[in-house]
Amino acid sequence: MALFVMKFGGSSVGDTERMKRVAKRIVEKKEQGHQCVVVVSAMGDTTDDLIDKSRLLSDNPPAREMDMLLTTGEQISVALLSMAIHSLGHQAKSFTGWQAGFRTDDTHGKARIADIEPFRVIDALDTGNIVIVAGFQGMSESGEITTLGRGGSDTTAVALAAAIQADVCEIYTDVDGIYSTDPRIVRCARKLQEISYDEMLELAHLGAAVLHPRAVEYAKHNNVCLVVRSSFNHNEGTYVKEEAVMEQGVVVSGIAYDKNVARISILGVADLPGVLARVFGTLAEAEIDVDIIVQSGVLNGEADFSFTTALHDRDRAIHVLDQLKSELPYREVTSETDLVKISIVGAGMVSHPGVAAKMFEVISGLGISIKMVSTSEIKVSCVIANQQLHDVVKALHTAYGLDTVEQVFVGGPQDRR
């Protein structure tokens, strides 16, 4: 007998028929002699619908009340799924995040887990129940209901698996596992049998939507055995683990892309000590995340530098820089959108020279200019114009030997909560 945590996203429980299918999947596991704790997201578009309703009433609803509103979506899911399991002749108990013992900080909308006290979950398991837990939510020490932000249900599942020492944490989604790239772009993308925490963390940060970075970080820190698999079939999934076996001759494991990119350039900045610290310190104080930073050469005591940020942060970042101009004079600030950051990731890159050069050759061979570059031991990222994204992904996938025999991909948008 093993203890499983099973997480099902919104599309997996999008309607009552899918809910019944998920219930049968859980009962199958239970009837094999295993203990099951299930983490569930809100059904389908429930969260988006709730957000739309809030906007009909208020242009700027209080963050506290938004958390009160949005957590109802998961509460609907856990109650209905528990009922579906009861109808199949098995005991089930549903819990909200705070009933399951999730304690968070006070940050509404993107709270961090401070502690988990899963006593009620363990007691329910010990009395033979299948336990259903609402993802994406918790309660602060001051008694406020909070949400964990994007990817919150993935994080709930992995954190709960660590807290109750589960044998496996299975993330069920609408694809068979983790692919070498988006199979909706490259039909011959290969499904990976396993991938390391570090590689998965890079891919998640760089745009792959199967797992949220916070969930992968939690799994790595607590050595949680993580499996990504489909909720629509019983195919073997992808294992995320400390060290993955490298396939012979494959240096790059995956290709990710992120279209949520804006480039901002500050031109004619005085080349003085502390200038960059002041600029990026001020951006950090405004909670604006900065990714790639590139500084050009110095001419006549002035330098130009550029950085990327999320597209939705572009206007705020420019406003912050405008406020700084009186104390840190510069000639002008420019910005550029309609960009994409495309990245290759692979643990084998550490010991194989020329990986980055091949990437640059492939992109330039398509007549595309590279605007910015960022590297680490296991990834190379290039910022390019968005117009030829699909062509670049396909060309890189072929160049690094990742193509397989063409397969039919069935699935919709991947679960992100």
Side-chain angles (χ1 to χ4, degrees), residues 216-236:
V216 183
E217 288 170 359
Y218 225 112
K220 177 178 171 62
H221 181 72
N222 294 281
N223 197 29
V224 174
C225 178
L226 197 57
V227 184
V228 178
R229 58 191 313 178
S230 174
S231 59
F232 301 107
N233 60 52
H234 286 74
N235 295 344
E236 192 71 22

Side-chain angles (χ1 to χ4, degrees), residues 122-306:
I122 294 169
D123 288 345
L125 282 172
D126 289 343
T127 54
N129 285 281
I130 295 169
V131 179
I132 318 295
V133 176
F136 177 64
Q137 58 186 246
M139 180 175 285
S140 71
E141 290 301 320
S142 60
E144 295 291 339
I145 292 172
T146 57
T147 60
L148 304 182
R150 188 179 175 190
S153 291
D154 283 353
T155 306
T156 299
V158 175
L160 188 55
I164 64 176
Q165 298 183 329
D167 296 287
V168 183
C169 179
E170 296 182 325
I171 306 293
Y172 288 84
T173 182
D174 47 13
V175 291
D176 285 348
I178 297 162
Y179 283 78
S180 51
T181 195
D182 187 341
R184 290 164 293 189
I185 292 179
V186 180
R187 294 179 65 84
C188 56
R190 67 171 69 188
K191 186 178 74 176
L192 307 178
Q193 290 186 332
E194 53 187 51
I195 188 171
S196 71
Y197 291 130
D198 289 335
E199 289 174 307
M200 189 66 244
L201 193 54
E202 287 282 14
L203 286 171
H205 275 299
L206 295 167
V210 182
L211 285 172
H212 193 272
R214 275 205 294 172
V216 183
E217 288 170 359
Y218 225 112
K220 177 178 171 62
H221 181 72
N222 294 281
N223 197 29
V224 174
C225 178
L226 197 57
V227 184
V228 178
R229 58 191 313 178
S230 174
S231 59
F232 301 107
N233 60 52
H234 286 74
N235 295 344
E236 192 71 22
T238 300
Y239 283 81
V240 185
K241 54 201 295 190
E242 183 61 41
E243 290 188 14
V245 176
M246 288 177 55
E247 189 175 338
Q248 187 67 32
V250 175
V251 179
V252 171
S253 299
I255 300 169
Y257 62 88
D258 183 3
K259 294 190 281 188
N260 182 30
V261 177
R263 180 170 77 156
I264 297 174
S265 299
I266 308 177
L267 310 178
V269 183
D271 182 35
L272 297 172
V275 169
L276 291 182
R278 182 72 180 109
V279 169
F280 292 106
T282 305
L283 289 168
E285 289 171 5
E287 296 188 349
I288 296 171
D289 289 328
V290 171
D291 186 15
I292 303 173
I293 303 172
V294 175
Q295 180 175 336
S296 64
V298 178
L299 181 63
N300 298 324
E302 294 183 343
D304 301 337
F305 63 90
S306 303

Side-chain angles (χ1 to χ4, degrees), residues 393-412:
V393 172
K394 291 174 183 176
L396 289 172
H397 201 267
T398 299
Y400 288 107
L402 296 175
D403 292 350
T404 62
V405 176
E406 185 164 310
Q407 54 189 299
V408 176
F409 168 71
V410 179

Side-chain angles (χ1 to χ4, degrees), residues 363-377:
I363 293 173
S364 64
L366 293 171
I368 299 169
S369 298
I370 298 173
K371 298 175 182 292
M372 304 178 83
V373 175
S374 174
T375 66
S376 73
E377 286 188 337

